[in-house]
């Protein structure tokens, strides 16, 4: 097995189909991509686990489950709890509303399963933010959830400004990371002008230029590779 295939097997436990197909058609392309990914995803100004959690949340915000779940696994593998991940996903909710929380509703059970705490899914996915969060909070009974309960209460009260301030405040996840996350939500949808004020807010929350550069690097990964994911689904496997 090539070093690139071994790398992805270590990351995902198995070699994903899109990786195998990229290798089958051009091992050189996979080697170059693996090198870039490996360099970006190592500890830097942002840690490896922070990068995985941010990518998972940014993909929830753009409603892209596949990459969200890949990086949910990475975030759990490197030490994040399901409750901490749900805080990241709240920034996705702030960006795109209930639809993003429905994506998070896929990721949180997966995170719990990876942590050895599988849950029973409801027959139907809840439709509203307070019901989605209420169900997920029920799954987190063994974790500290006081902050998340405050968010649910704020959603029910309906004050959008107070809710946004609470979501972006320090909890288990820092305000800095949440502001970086919000900037990234715009970047991965190629909305630089929308990201600019959030980058300034991230600086005000303690983010450095190196943090912002690391955010840019992980945005390169998540906004680029899904094109290969989608193309590879219809690409014939090399016999």
């Amino acid at each position: 097995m090539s070093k690139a295939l071994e790398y992805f097997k270590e990351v995902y436990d198995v070699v994903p189909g899109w990786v195998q197909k990229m290798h089958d058609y051009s091992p050189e392309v996979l080697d170059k991509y693996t090198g870039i990914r490996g360099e970006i995803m190592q500890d830097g100004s942002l840690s490896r686990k922070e990068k995985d959690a941010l990518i998972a949340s940014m993909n929830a915000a753009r409603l892209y489950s596949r990459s969200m779940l890949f990086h949910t696994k990475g975030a759990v593998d490197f030490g994040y709890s399901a409750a901490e991940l749900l805080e990241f996903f709240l920034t996705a909710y702030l960006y795109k509303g209930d639809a993003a929380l429905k994506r998070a509703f896929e990721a949180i059970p997966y995170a719990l399963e990876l942590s050895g705490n599988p849950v029973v899914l409801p027959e139907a996915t809840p439709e509203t933010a307070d019901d989605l969060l209420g169900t997920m909070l029920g799954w987190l009974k063994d974790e500290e959830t006081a902050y998340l309960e405050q968010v649910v209460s704020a959603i029910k009260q309906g004050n959008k400004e107070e809710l946004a301030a609470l979501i972006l405040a320090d909890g288990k996840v820092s305000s800095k990371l949440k502001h970086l996350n919000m900037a990234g939500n715009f970047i991965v949808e190629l909305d630089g002008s929308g990201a600019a004020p959030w980058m300034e807010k991230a600086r005000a929350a303690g983010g450095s230029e190196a943090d912002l550069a690391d955010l840019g690097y992980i945005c390169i990964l998540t906004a680029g590779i899904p094109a290969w994911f989608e193309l590879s689904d219809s690409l014939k496997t090399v016999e």
Side-chain angles (χ1 to χ4, degrees):
M1 183 179 288
S2 73
K3 289 183 178 180
L5 293 178
E6 289 176 354
Y7 169 84
F8 281 100
K9 186 173 182 179
E10 182 178 346
V11 170
Y12 297 124
D13 295 332
V14 297
V15 177
W18 66 268
V19 173
Q20 185 64 58
K21 290 177 182 178
M22 187 180 283
H23 175 271
D24 291 345
Y25 279 86
S26 179
E28 294 80 7
V29 169
L30 181 62
D31 285 344
K32 291 289 192 296
Y33 171 68
T34 302
I36 292 170
R37 188 192 190 282
E39 183 67 26
I40 288 173
M41 291 304 291
Q42 66 183 331
D43 288 334
S45 186
L46 299 176
S47 70
R48 168 67 189 271
K49 77 171 189 175
E50 289 170 342
K51 291 175 180 180
D52 270 311
L54 287 166
I55 294 176
S57 180
M58 290 187 295
N59 277 286
R62 66 182 184 134
L63 310 182
Y64 192 74
S65 294
R66 186 183 296 195
S67 194
M68 175 190 72
L69 293 173
F70 281 154
H71 290 281
T72 292
K73 182 181 186 305
V76 171
D77 286 348
F78 281 87
Y80 271 124
S81 69
E84 289 169 321
L85 282 174
L86 185 50
E87 278 199 43
F88 279 98
F89 289 132
L90 288 175
T91 65
Y93 166 68
L94 193 58
Y95 179 75
K96 198 163 282 185
D98 292 359
L101 269 188
K102 286 185 178 180
R103 289 297 191 276
F105 201 78
E106 301 172 33
I108 296 303
Y110 181 47
L112 288 165
E113 179 183 348
L114 291 169
S115 302
N117 299 297
V119 299
V120 177
L121 296 173
E123 291 185 4
T125 300
E127 293 295 326
T128 63
D130 56 332
D131 286 340
L132 286 159
L133 284 170
T135 300
M136 288 188 277
L137 283 174
W139 293 335
L140 303 175
K141 57 184 180 297
D142 295 329
E143 298 190 40
E144 172 56 51
T145 59
Y147 167 81
L148 295 169
E149 290 167 11
Q150 291 179 44
V151 172
V152 173
S153 178
I155 289 172
K156 290 179 178 179
Q157 291 173 11
N159 186 315
K160 293 184 178 180
E161 290 186 3
E162 289 184 7
L163 175 61
L166 181 59
I167 287 175
L168 292 167
D170 288 323
K172 287 180 177 292
V173 177
S174 70
S175 179
K176 180 190 83 170
L177 285 172
K178 292 174 180 179
H179 282 84
L180 287 169
N181 197 161
M182 281 299 295
N185 291 341
F186 286 87
I187 291 293
V188 295
E189 294 204 321
L190 308 183
D191 183 359
S193 62
W198 286 103
M199 291 174 68
E200 195 58 41
K201 290 176 183 178
R203 292 184 181 99
S208 67
E209 295 307 301
D211 291 332
L212 289 165
D214 266 0
L215 178 69
Y217 298 148
I218 63 173
C219 286
I220 290 171
L221 290 182
T222 194
I225 194 60
W228 179 261
F229 291 163
E230 297 306 312
L231 183 147
S232 73
D233 285 343
S234 299
L235 189 67
K236 293 182 179 180
T237 303
V238 175
E239 296 297 335

